[in-house]
Amino acid sequence: MKNKLLYIEDDKEISAWVSEDLTRRGYHVTCLTTGDRAPNHMEGIDLVILDIMLPGLDGFSIGQRLKKEYPVTPILMLSARTSIDDKLQGLHFADDYVTKPFHPDELAARVEVLLRRFGKMSPPLIQLSHLRIYLDQNHIVDTRSKKEIVLTPKQFQIFTYLLRHPNKILTKEQIYEAVWENPYIAGDKTLMVHIRHLCEKIEENPSQPQIIETIRGIGYRVKQ
Amino acid sequence: MRFRHSLLARYLLIIMVALILWPFVLPAYYIPSYFLDKDVQQKAQYIDTNKLKQMWHHEAAKLDRATPEQIDQKLHTLKDQYPLASMFWVDGAGKTKLVLSKQKNIPSQWTLENSIEFMNQSDGDPITFVSYIGRDQSNGFMVFQIPPSVTKLPTLSFIDDKFLAIYGFLVFGLFLFVSWLFFFKIRKRLVHLQTAMTETKENGIPEKIVVDKKDEISELGKAFNYMVDELIKSRQHEQEEEALRKQLIANISHDLRTPLTTIRGHAYSLQKEPLSSKGKDSLHLIENKVDLLSHLLENLLSYTLLSARKYTLQRKETDIIRFIRESMAGWYPVFEKEGFKVDVNLPEKAMIWNIDPQWFMRILDNLYQNVMRHAKSGRYVGVRIVDYEGKTAILIEDRGPGLDVTTDKKGAGIGLSIVSLMLQEMQLGWTITSSPKGTEIYLYEKK
């Protein structure tokens, strides 16, 4: 099933090629040139792409209104304005922010990440190297041996957190705070121990991990 | 301002009242005792000796041809009137008749010798008046004597008269108090004015003061209120202008970025079309220039806002290690794509700096951007915590051609100017060492 996007942009040229590009990438795109009637089009929408400078109601007001009514629909702000004030104001309600002139690949990547983060695009399974992961069933199968890999709850939480942010480097503070829901204390080794055990279970060769990539000095990344 | 409302007028009034009242101060002290104290009235009648003398002669003259009984009676009456005086009379034969005196040395029979002796004895003390009774000397004479002490004016002496001393102090004190009150009130109002001028509201403008009088200080207050009004007006004007400028900048940004977005979009679409290698090169160039333009635009706007102090600095205690790590996590894919070796070496310990995270993010972004643009040839970026001249510093290094080398990619200047301005505002220091082998940038806290 195609994900439905609502795209509000007043510049017809940009609107035309962005919606064309996103359609080619497999999304169903609804385009609006003003935000005044946006609430009428929210039925079944999975994500809103919103320009800030719009005729009539500006993007901030529309975004805030939409977020209030549809809190689980991610909003991606698209703007030609870049001052820090704008970013702060926008991010109060927006879930991500892309500045013009953006690269279509970047926009598409952010849309995908947001959809995944909000569970709008829960792929029934992820095929990653020799692993087949059923995210919603907490089920991981090694395709070579056809055996199930059993993870502890924490290991599974860490792994899914990385999978939900594909291609993004996550620092150990971010992972720890997302999984344990406590502030990370500098020097804590708990997370590293968990990741080591996780790698031992899922990696073919735990000393040279292929699935969970360690970025030295920064954090971890799962490439998809 | 009218003169009668002025402080000057009030002060002159105080002085005038003091000067006018001063001559009445002593009389005011004595008048009540004169009227209330009979004794004083009694004493007062002895002070004018001439008057006494006239009275005595007058009384004597009236007794012409009076019988000795009448003279006795008269003397008794006078004695009642002047109790402090001694009186006696002598008949024509030189015989002392009625003596209303405690004096012992009055001869009973007057001869020439004792008359002279009596006169010698009473020379000035006691003061003695002698009058012939009636018109005829043969009727005898009558004598009136008073001690000289009662004829003297009472002396003004604070030592003798304690009440006078207290009275003096009271009068003097009253004058001092009124003067003090006058200046105290002025001082209080001036201090109040000073407080009002120095204490400002959140907008940085002092509050207006209440003016309820019409004197010089109130005039000053009115002038101050006028100034506050002017300040508010100019602040409003400034805010309007600022809003206008911000709007203008935002509009320029929007107006320039929108076509850039379209250019990039179409360049991207072109990539999907079959192109010659020359065409692909041109396309690549277009994309690079779009990037460069958008960065330049961003930096230009940031610099304008920053140098006009339009960004608000919100410093808070931040773990800088964690911050650098998260910033690098965002940049890693960009460096990775260009084939950079990213060498991040950060301690496990937290390091707290008092910074504005948004600003610091911007600083790191600009520095990484510079590495990307000017040090691509080195294919290396390193971030470490090092000791720099005794301070803990963040070191960002690359192995590019160094900052002195002029490349075709201009625009580093403004990016670094932004870094410099932002660091300065956050009281952070920085040092750049650049050589053809690479550039090292140290960021540290100013102590």
Side-chain angles (χ1 to χ4, degrees):
Chain A
M1 201 184 86
K2 283 180 178 178
N3 280 108
K4 285 185 175 173
L5 312 183
L6 180 65
Y7 179 32
I8 308 172
E9 164 73 75
D10 64 322
D11 189 286
K12 294 227 170 60
E13 285 175 18
I14 297 176
S15 174
W17 74 259
V18 168
S19 62
E20 191 191 314
D21 185 66
L22 288 172
T23 309
R24 203 170 49 235
R25 288 173 199 262
Y27 297 105
H28 184 276
V29 185
T30 311
C31 286
L32 292 178
T33 48
T34 67
D36 303 346
R37 286 155 51 80
N40 304 344
H41 295 269
M42 283 302 284
E43 189 64 40
I45 293 295
D46 297 312
L47 182 137
V48 180
I49 301 173
L50 189 59
D51 187 33
I52 289 176
M53 300 274 259
L54 288 171
L57 271 178
D58 69 280
F60 291 128
S61 319
I62 297 163
Q64 271 159 347
R65 188 189 291 177
L66 291 181
K67 198 72 198 175
K68 214 171 178 181
E69 283 178 51
Y70 305 92
V72 292
T73 306
I75 295 177
L76 185 114
M77 297 298 286
L78 205 59
S79 175
R81 291 163 70 176
T82 52
S83 78
I84 287 171
D85 295 342
D86 265 10
K87 275 191 186 164
L88 283 177
Q89 201 187 345
L91 288 175
H92 277 310
F93 63 89
D95 302 288
D96 205 353
Y97 193 104
V98 179
T99 348
K100 290 178 182 175
F102 52 87
H103 198 283
D105 285 344
E106 192 194 354
L107 180 65
R110 298 230 190 184
V111 166
E112 198 183 324
V113 167
L114 275 184
L115 287 172
R116 196 171 292 177
R117 182 138 62 95
F118 278 79
K120 300 282 183 185
M121 197 175 77
S122 50
L125 76 153
I126 297 169
Q127 183 74 39
L128 199 64
S129 182
H130 60 279
L131 299 178
R132 184 170 293 159
I133 306 144
Y134 301 86
L135 264 184
D136 45 351
Q137 294 163 32
N138 296 7
H139 186 55
I140 301 169
V141 176
D142 186 335
T143 48
R144 295 163 308 176
S145 60
K146 311 275 183 217
K147 277 186 184 160
E148 187 179 354
I149 297 171
V150 182
L151 299 180
T152 65
K154 280 277 177 283
Q155 287 165 357
F156 190 78
Q157 273 178 284
I158 295 166
F159 195 33
T160 46
Y161 185 67
L162 285 163
L163 286 170
R164 281 190 200 284
H165 297 86
N167 304 319
K168 193 177 171 200
I169 300 170
L170 297 167
T171 65
K172 51 180 183 273
E173 290 95 342
Q174 286 169 323
I175 301 171
Y176 186 91
E177 282 166 13
V179 173
W180 273 266
E181 291 175 348
N182 273 323
Y184 176 79
I185 297 152
D188 192 348
K189 298 267 184 260
T190 322
L191 178 71
M192 279 152 82
V193 173
H194 276 84
I195 289 184
R196 202 172 66 230
H197 289 311
L198 177 63
C199 288
E200 278 166 11
K201 284 181 183 171
I202 61 171
E203 296 285 356
E204 209 168 350
N205 180 1
S207 58
Q208 280 183 319
Q210 296 297 313
I211 295 164
I212 298 179
E213 191 186 353
T214 306
I215 313 290
R216 210 176 75 79
I218 308 175
Y220 303 93
R221 174 170 67 176
V222 170
K223 271 191 176 169
Q224 277 182 46
Chain B
M1 183 187 58
R2 294 203 185 132
F3 179 71
R4 66 189 169 94
H5 295 309
S6 71
L7 286 172
L8 181 69
R10 287 179 60 197
Y11 185 64
L12 284 178
L13 186 71
I14 291 174
I15 297 290
M16 294 268 282
V17 167
L19 284 177
I20 291 169
L21 286 185
W22 197 245
F24 298 103
V25 166
L26 271 183
Y29 177 69
Y30 285 109
I31 283 166
S33 56
Y34 182 80
F35 283 110
L36 297 174
D37 194 349
K38 285 274 186 291
D39 195 34
V40 173
Q41 264 180 49
Q42 282 283 336
K43 278 177 190 162
Q45 66 187 343
Y46 301 108
I47 291 168
D48 195 347
T49 47
N50 279 331
K51 209 174 150 193
L52 280 176
K53 196 176 185 174
Q54 272 173 16
M55 178 276 297
W56 193 246
H57 286 314
H58 184 68
E59 291 297 337
K62 280 203 292 186
L63 288 172
D64 194 24
R65 287 178 230 278
T67 60
E69 288 74 31
Q70 280 175 322
I71 297 171
D72 280 358
Q73 203 186 345
K74 187 72 194 172
L75 243 58
H76 277 293
T77 324
L78 287 170
K79 177 68 182 176
D80 284 345
Q81 209 176 332
Y82 300 95
L84 293 179
S86 307
M87 300 168 196
F88 60 89
W89 73 282
V90 179
D91 65 6
K95 198 170 179 203
T96 304
K97 301 297 273 190
L98 178 68
V99 177
L100 297 172
S101 166
K102 288 178 186 118
Q103 248 174 301
K104 299 272 163 58
N105 58 347
I106 299 166
S108 50
Q109 183 61 51
W110 291 75
T111 58
L112 188 63
E113 292 82 28
N114 58 28
S115 295
I116 292 168
E117 198 194 329
F118 176 81
M119 290 312 288
N120 278 344
Q121 268 177 5
S122 49
D123 183 24
D125 183 19
I127 295 168
T128 307
F129 311 131
V130 181
S131 295
Y132 289 108
I133 298 167
R135 289 183 191 142
D136 192 355
Q137 292 182 2
S138 59
N139 282 345
F141 58 92
M142 54 193 231
V143 177
F144 181 94
Q145 287 187 302
I146 44 166
S149 62
V150 302
T151 67
K152 293 211 173 96
L153 277 168
T155 49
L156 287 177
S157 168
F158 290 120
I159 299 158
D160 294 344
D161 192 343
K162 280 191 186 125
F163 290 109
L164 182 65
I166 293 168
Y167 176 73
F169 273 119
L170 275 179
V171 171
F172 190 61
L174 184 73
F175 180 70
L176 272 187
F177 177 74
V178 171
S179 301
W180 174 82
L181 204 66
F182 179 74
F183 284 105
F184 177 77
K185 276 186 175 170
I186 293 179
R187 190 181 167 276
K188 208 171 122 185
R189 289 170 64 199
L190 284 175
V191 168
H192 175 72
L193 200 62
Q194 186 208 16
T195 320
M197 282 175 177
T198 41
E199 272 176 13
T200 54
K201 289 189 286 184
E202 16 355 307
N203 62 0
I205 296 174
E207 198 145 4
K208 283 212 226 174
I209 56 168
V210 182
V211 178
D212 49 4
K213 290 197 175 74
K214 290 175 179 175
D215 56 21
E216 288 92 331
I217 295 177
S218 299
E219 289 295 311
L220 189 64
K222 272 189 215 161
F224 171 71
N225 283 350
Y226 176 74
M227 196 188 74
V228 169
D229 277 338
E230 288 295 302
L231 262 178
I232 291 170
K233 259 191 240 164
S234 81
R235 183 65 56 91
Q236 262 170 358
H237 191 64
E238 194 183 308
Q239 274 168 354
E240 279 164 21
E241 267 191 350
E242 189 187 315
L244 209 69
R245 184 163 47 209
K246 259 191 161 173
Q247 191 59 43
L248 186 73
I249 287 170
N251 287 348
I252 291 173
S253 171
H254 179 262
D255 293 351
L256 289 175
R257 276 164 199 280
T258 307
L260 271 181
T261 314
T262 318
I263 294 171
R264 162 163 278 171
H266 284 279
Y268 179 77
S269 304
L270 261 183
Q271 266 181 358
K272 314 254 157 165
E273 305 294 322
L275 283 176
S276 67
S277 67
K278 207 178 166 194
K280 273 184 184 153
D281 283 349
S282 296
L283 203 56
H284 191 62
L285 199 73
I286 290 172
E287 286 202 317
N288 277 346
K289 291 297 167 193
V290 169
D291 263 349
L292 183 64
L293 256 178
S294 82
H295 288 310
L296 269 178
L297 200 57
E298 165 120 25
N299 275 342
L300 187 68
L301 296 174
S302 299
Y303 187 77
T304 314
L305 291 174
L306 199 62
S307 57
R309 295 177 182 272
K310 292 295 178 281
Y311 279 158
T312 41
L313 178 67
Q314 287 168 324
R315 293 169 86 182
K316 55 183 176 193
E317 305 276 307
T318 311
D319 177 7
I320 202 81
I321 301 294
R322 177 182 179 150
F323 196 83
I324 298 170
R325 198 175 279 134
E326 275 167 23
S327 147
M328 202 52 187
W331 273 90
Y332 189 86
V334 183
F335 285 121
E336 192 185 33
K337 204 175 149 197
E338 295 292 332
F340 273 66
K341 181 183 187 300
V342 180
D343 182 13
V344 179
N345 197 348
L346 299 170
E348 281 301 314
K349 248 181 18 213
M351 201 165 104
I352 308 296
W353 282 13
N354 188 15
I355 53 163
D356 181 324
Q358 291 284 336
W359 284 36
F360 204 76
M361 182 68 89
R362 190 58 191 278
I363 289 168
L364 291 179
D365 281 352
N366 274 7
L367 293 177
Y368 293 147
Q369 199 96 57
N370 261 7
V371 172
M372 268 300 287
R373 261 192 274 153
H374 305 289
K376 229 176 217 175
S377 57
R379 302 262 178 269
Y380 173 87
V381 61
V383 183
R384 282 184 285 148
I385 298 297
V386 293
D387 187 73
Y388 179 76
E389 290 176 356
K391 284 170 277 207
T392 314
I394 304 164
L395 166 63
I396 298 171
E397 56 176 338
D398 64 54
R399 289 177 189 162
L403 280 178
D404 299 325
V405 180
T406 44
T407 63
D408 60 333
K409 292 157 189 157
K410 293 271 166 49
I414 198 162
L416 292 182
S417 302
I418 290 169
V419 170
S420 179
L421 268 177
M422 285 186 156
L423 286 172
Q424 203 182 333
E425 289 287 307
M426 291 194 283
Q427 268 135 44
L428 298 177
W430 72 320
T431 307
I432 306 179
T433 56
S434 189
S435 74
K437 284 183 179 172
T439 305
E440 292 177 347
I441 296 173
Y442 298 89
L443 307 177
Y444 43 83
E445 275 187 308
K446 275 186 197 163
K447 284 286 143 88

mmCIF file of all heavy atoms in Angstrom, chain A residues 172-173 184-190 192 216-218 220, chain B residues 319 321-322 325 345-351 385:
data_model
loop_
_atom_site.group_PDB
_atom_site.id
_atom_site.type_symbol
_atom_site.label_atom_id
_atom_site.label_comp_id
_atom_site.label_asym_id
_atom_site.label_seq_id
_atom_site.Cartn_x
_atom_site.Cartn_y
_atom_site.Cartn_z
ATOM 1 N N LYS A 172 26.069 6.694 21.727
ATOM 2 C CA LYS A 172 25.659 5.779 22.791
ATOM 3 C C LYS A 172 24.745 6.487 23.789
ATOM 4 O O LYS A 172 23.865 5.864 24.368
ATOM 5 C CB LYS A 172 26.864 5.143 23.476
ATOM 6 C CG LYS A 172 27.950 6.070 23.962
ATOM 7 C CD LYS A 172 29.042 5.219 24.615
ATOM 8 C CE LYS A 172 30.127 6.076 25.201
ATOM 9 N NZ LYS A 172 31.186 6.438 24.244
ATOM 10 N N GLU A 173 24.891 7.812 23.939
ATOM 11 C CA GLU A 173 23.975 8.546 24.811
ATOM 12 C C GLU A 173 22.542 8.433 24.289
ATOM 13 O O GLU A 173 21.609 8.195 25.056
ATOM 14 C CB GLU A 173 24.359 10.036 24.865
ATOM 15 C CG GLU A 173 25.652 10.350 25.597
ATOM 16 C CD GLU A 173 26.843 10.459 24.662
ATOM 17 O OE1 GLU A 173 26.751 9.962 23.503
ATOM 18 O OE2 GLU A 173 27.883 11.019 25.079
ATOM 19 N N TYR A 184 21.950 9.330 30.403
ATOM 20 C CA TYR A 184 23.197 8.571 30.312
ATOM 21 C C TYR A 184 24.235 9.189 31.248
ATOM 22 O O TYR A 184 24.385 10.404 31.305
ATOM 23 C CB TYR A 184 23.699 8.603 28.877
ATOM 24 C CG TYR A 184 25.039 7.931 28.655
ATOM 25 C CD1 TYR A 184 25.120 6.553 28.563
ATOM 26 C CD2 TYR A 184 26.197 8.689 28.548
ATOM 27 C CE1 TYR A 184 26.343 5.929 28.355
ATOM 28 C CE2 TYR A 184 27.433 8.066 28.347
ATOM 29 C CZ TYR A 184 27.494 6.691 28.255
ATOM 30 O OH TYR A 184 28.712 6.079 28.052
ATOM 31 N N ILE A 185 24.906 8.331 31.991
ATOM 32 C CA ILE A 185 25.982 8.831 32.850
ATOM 33 C C ILE A 185 27.308 8.529 32.154
ATOM 34 O O ILE A 185 27.558 7.386 31.756
ATOM 35 C CB ILE A 185 25.933 8.168 34.244
ATOM 36 C CG1 ILE A 185 24.612 8.542 34.924
ATOM 37 C CG2 ILE A 185 27.111 8.600 35.100
ATOM 38 C CD1 ILE A 185 24.119 7.533 35.892
ATOM 39 N N ALA A 186 28.113 9.602 31.969
ATOM 40 C CA ALA A 186 29.366 9.466 31.229
ATOM 41 C C ALA A 186 30.199 8.329 31.809
ATOM 42 O O ALA A 186 30.350 8.208 33.026
ATOM 43 C CB ALA A 186 30.131 10.786 31.279
ATOM 44 N N GLY A 187 30.720 7.479 30.909
ATOM 45 C CA GLY A 187 31.609 6.409 31.331
ATOM 46 C C GLY A 187 30.887 5.093 31.600
ATOM 47 O O GLY A 187 31.517 4.061 31.856
ATOM 48 N N ASP A 188 29.544 5.109 31.522
ATOM 49 C CA ASP A 188 28.769 3.889 31.767
ATOM 50 C C ASP A 188 29.039 2.861 30.661
ATOM 51 O O ASP A 188 28.964 3.168 29.477
ATOM 52 C CB ASP A 188 27.273 4.270 31.813
ATOM 53 C CG ASP A 188 26.429 3.127 32.346
ATOM 54 O OD1 ASP A 188 26.976 1.996 32.454
ATOM 55 O OD2 ASP A 188 25.256 3.355 32.653
ATOM 56 N N LYS A 189 29.353 1.641 31.073
ATOM 57 C CA LYS A 189 29.729 0.612 30.089
ATOM 58 C C LYS A 189 28.566 -0.328 29.755
ATOM 59 O O LYS A 189 28.713 -1.208 28.917
ATOM 60 C CB LYS A 189 30.902 -0.222 30.634
ATOM 61 C CG LYS A 189 32.168 0.607 30.878
ATOM 62 C CD LYS A 189 33.077 0.574 29.662
ATOM 63 C CE LYS A 189 34.364 1.302 29.952
ATOM 64 N NZ LYS A 189 34.369 2.656 29.395
ATOM 65 N N THR A 190 27.415 -0.166 30.434
ATOM 66 C CA THR A 190 26.298 -1.099 30.276
ATOM 67 C C THR A 190 25.923 -1.301 28.804
ATOM 68 O O THR A 190 25.800 -2.432 28.338
ATOM 69 C CB THR A 190 25.060 -0.564 31.026
ATOM 70 O OG1 THR A 190 25.492 0.036 32.224
ATOM 71 C CG2 THR A 190 24.080 -1.679 31.325
ATOM 72 N N MET A 192 27.605 -0.776 26.068
ATOM 73 C CA MET A 192 28.620 -1.448 25.260
ATOM 74 C C MET A 192 28.594 -2.952 25.500
ATOM 75 O O MET A 192 28.751 -3.745 24.559
ATOM 76 C CB MET A 192 30.003 -0.889 25.582
ATOM 77 C CG MET A 192 30.240 0.419 24.845
ATOM 78 S SD MET A 192 31.356 1.468 25.687
ATOM 79 C CE MET A 192 32.902 0.763 25.164
ATOM 80 N N ARG A 216 33.921 4.608 15.215
ATOM 81 C CA ARG A 216 34.818 4.853 16.334
ATOM 82 C C ARG A 216 34.709 6.294 16.846
ATOM 83 O O ARG A 216 34.749 7.243 16.074
ATOM 84 C CB ARG A 216 36.263 4.566 15.924
ATOM 85 C CG ARG A 216 37.134 4.085 17.075
ATOM 86 C CD ARG A 216 38.509 3.743 16.569
ATOM 87 N NE ARG A 216 39.291 4.951 16.288
ATOM 88 C CZ ARG A 216 39.897 5.671 17.236
ATOM 89 N NH1 ARG A 216 39.811 5.313 18.493
ATOM 90 N NH2 ARG A 216 40.576 6.747 16.907
ATOM 91 N N GLY A 217 34.539 6.371 18.127
ATOM 92 C CA GLY A 217 34.489 7.699 18.757
ATOM 93 C C GLY A 217 33.134 8.379 18.649
ATOM 94 O O GLY A 217 32.906 9.390 19.287
ATOM 95 N N ILE A 218 32.206 7.845 17.833
ATOM 96 C CA ILE A 218 30.922 8.526 17.670
ATOM 97 C C ILE A 218 29.763 7.642 18.143
ATOM 98 O O ILE A 218 29.046 8.013 19.072
ATOM 99 C CB ILE A 218 30.683 8.958 16.201
ATOM 100 C CG1 ILE A 218 31.889 9.753 15.679
ATOM 101 C CG2 ILE A 218 29.422 9.804 16.108
ATOM 102 C CD1 ILE A 218 31.801 10.120 14.225
ATOM 103 N N TYR A 220 27.018 4.109 16.758
ATOM 104 C CA TYR A 220 26.710 2.897 15.997
ATOM 105 C C TYR A 220 25.747 3.227 14.876
ATOM 106 O O TYR A 220 24.985 4.191 14.949
ATOM 107 C CB TYR A 220 26.092 1.848 16.925
ATOM 108 C CG TYR A 220 26.983 1.517 18.099
ATOM 109 C CD1 TYR A 220 26.836 2.201 19.315
ATOM 110 C CD2 TYR A 220 27.973 0.544 17.990
ATOM 111 C CE1 TYR A 220 27.656 1.919 20.389
ATOM 112 C CE2 TYR A 220 28.794 0.256 19.068
ATOM 113 C CZ TYR A 220 28.638 0.944 20.259
ATOM 114 O OH TYR A 220 29.449 0.669 21.309
ATOM 115 N N ASP B 319 27.141 19.411 28.142
ATOM 116 C CA ASP B 319 28.247 18.452 28.032
ATOM 117 C C ASP B 319 28.776 18.535 26.607
ATOM 118 O O ASP B 319 28.154 18.070 25.657
ATOM 119 C CB ASP B 319 27.758 17.039 28.359
ATOM 120 C CG ASP B 319 28.862 16.009 28.174
ATOM 121 O OD1 ASP B 319 30.014 16.406 27.925
ATOM 122 O OD2 ASP B 319 28.561 14.804 28.286
ATOM 123 N N ILE B 321 31.335 17.180 25.179
ATOM 124 C CA ILE B 321 31.792 15.916 24.557
ATOM 125 C C ILE B 321 30.623 15.267 23.818
ATOM 126 O O ILE B 321 30.714 14.905 22.644
ATOM 127 C CB ILE B 321 32.311 14.951 25.654
ATOM 128 C CG1 ILE B 321 33.459 15.593 26.424
ATOM 129 C CG2 ILE B 321 32.698 13.610 25.060
ATOM 130 C CD1 ILE B 321 34.703 15.832 25.624
ATOM 131 N N ARG B 322 29.515 15.159 24.531
ATOM 132 C CA ARG B 322 28.316 14.566 23.965
ATOM 133 C C ARG B 322 27.841 15.384 22.758
ATOM 134 O O ARG B 322 27.424 14.834 21.738
ATOM 135 C CB ARG B 322 27.253 14.556 25.057
ATOM 136 C CG ARG B 322 25.950 14.028 24.580
ATOM 137 C CD ARG B 322 24.931 14.089 25.671
ATOM 138 N NE ARG B 322 23.680 13.578 25.130
ATOM 139 C CZ ARG B 322 22.777 12.968 25.846
ATOM 140 N NH1 ARG B 322 22.959 12.788 27.122
ATOM 141 N NH2 ARG B 322 21.671 12.534 25.295
ATOM 142 N N ARG B 325 29.982 14.781 19.753
ATOM 143 C CA ARG B 325 29.728 13.440 19.229
ATOM 144 C C ARG B 325 28.448 13.451 18.386
ATOM 145 O O ARG B 325 28.405 12.908 17.294
ATOM 146 C CB ARG B 325 29.605 12.476 20.402
ATOM 147 C CG ARG B 325 29.767 11.039 19.981
ATOM 148 C CD ARG B 325 29.764 10.120 21.178
ATOM 149 N NE ARG B 325 31.048 10.052 21.842
ATOM 150 C CZ ARG B 325 31.219 10.140 23.155
ATOM 151 N NH1 ARG B 325 30.183 10.317 23.942
ATOM 152 N NH2 ARG B 325 32.416 10.039 23.680
ATOM 153 N N ASN B 345 38.271 11.309 18.599
ATOM 154 C CA ASN B 345 38.882 10.765 19.815
ATOM 155 C C ASN B 345 38.468 11.629 21.007
ATOM 156 O O ASN B 345 39.080 12.648 21.307
ATOM 157 C CB ASN B 345 40.407 10.767 19.639
ATOM 158 C CG ASN B 345 41.079 9.856 20.648
ATOM 159 O OD1 ASN B 345 40.419 9.418 21.606
ATOM 160 N ND2 ASN B 345 42.346 9.587 20.451
ATOM 161 N N LEU B 346 37.387 11.190 21.630
ATOM 162 C CA LEU B 346 36.835 11.996 22.724
ATOM 163 C C LEU B 346 36.869 11.197 24.020
ATOM 164 O O LEU B 346 36.665 9.985 24.002
ATOM 165 C CB LEU B 346 35.387 12.390 22.408
ATOM 166 C CG LEU B 346 35.198 13.242 21.154
ATOM 167 C CD1 LEU B 346 33.735 13.350 20.815
ATOM 168 C CD2 LEU B 346 35.808 14.617 21.338
ATOM 169 N N PRO B 347 37.125 11.864 25.138
ATOM 170 C CA PRO B 347 37.172 11.133 26.412
ATOM 171 C C PRO B 347 35.785 10.643 26.822
ATOM 172 O O PRO B 347 34.773 11.125 26.319
ATOM 173 C CB PRO B 347 37.702 12.179 27.400
ATOM 174 C CG PRO B 347 37.371 13.491 26.790
ATOM 175 C CD PRO B 347 37.377 13.295 25.311
ATOM 176 N N GLU B 348 35.760 9.701 27.755
ATOM 177 C CA GLU B 348 34.486 9.158 28.240
ATOM 178 C C GLU B 348 33.832 10.094 29.254
ATOM 179 O O GLU B 348 32.658 10.018 29.507
ATOM 180 C CB GLU B 348 34.713 7.782 28.885
ATOM 181 C CG GLU B 348 34.870 6.657 27.868
ATOM 182 C CD GLU B 348 33.641 6.518 26.971
ATOM 183 O OE1 GLU B 348 32.519 6.535 27.497
ATOM 184 O OE2 GLU B 348 33.818 6.421 25.743
ATOM 185 N N LYS B 349 34.683 10.961 29.825
ATOM 186 C CA LYS B 349 34.182 11.861 30.870
ATOM 187 C C LYS B 349 33.388 13.020 30.262
ATOM 188 O O LYS B 349 33.718 13.510 29.191
ATOM 189 C CB LYS B 349 35.366 12.445 31.631
ATOM 190 C CG LYS B 349 35.440 11.942 33.041
ATOM 191 C CD LYS B 349 36.579 12.485 33.866
ATOM 192 C CE LYS B 349 37.231 13.734 33.353
ATOM 193 N NZ LYS B 349 38.643 13.808 33.645
ATOM 194 N N ALA B 350 32.366 13.450 30.982
ATOM 195 C CA ALA B 350 31.618 14.634 30.527
ATOM 196 C C ALA B 350 32.471 15.883 30.742
ATOM 197 O O ALA B 350 33.318 15.922 31.630
ATOM 198 C CB ALA B 350 30.319 14.764 31.304
ATOM 199 N N MET B 351 32.296 16.870 29.863
ATOM 200 C CA MET B 351 33.035 18.132 29.996
ATOM 201 C C MET B 351 32.000 19.247 29.835
ATOM 202 O O MET B 351 31.377 19.372 28.785
ATOM 203 C CB MET B 351 34.074 18.199 28.892
ATOM 204 C CG MET B 351 35.212 19.134 29.145
ATOM 205 S SD MET B 351 36.517 18.754 27.973
ATOM 206 C CE MET B 351 36.336 20.091 26.839
ATOM 207 N N ILE B 385 40.084 16.037 22.003
ATOM 208 C CA ILE B 385 40.214 16.955 23.137
ATOM 209 C C ILE B 385 41.695 16.943 23.509
ATOM 210 O O ILE B 385 42.277 15.885 23.748
ATOM 211 C CB ILE B 385 39.363 16.490 24.336
ATOM 212 C CG1 ILE B 385 37.887 16.460 23.964
ATOM 213 C CG2 ILE B 385 39.603 17.388 25.548
ATOM 214 C CD1 ILE B 385 37.282 17.794 23.604
#
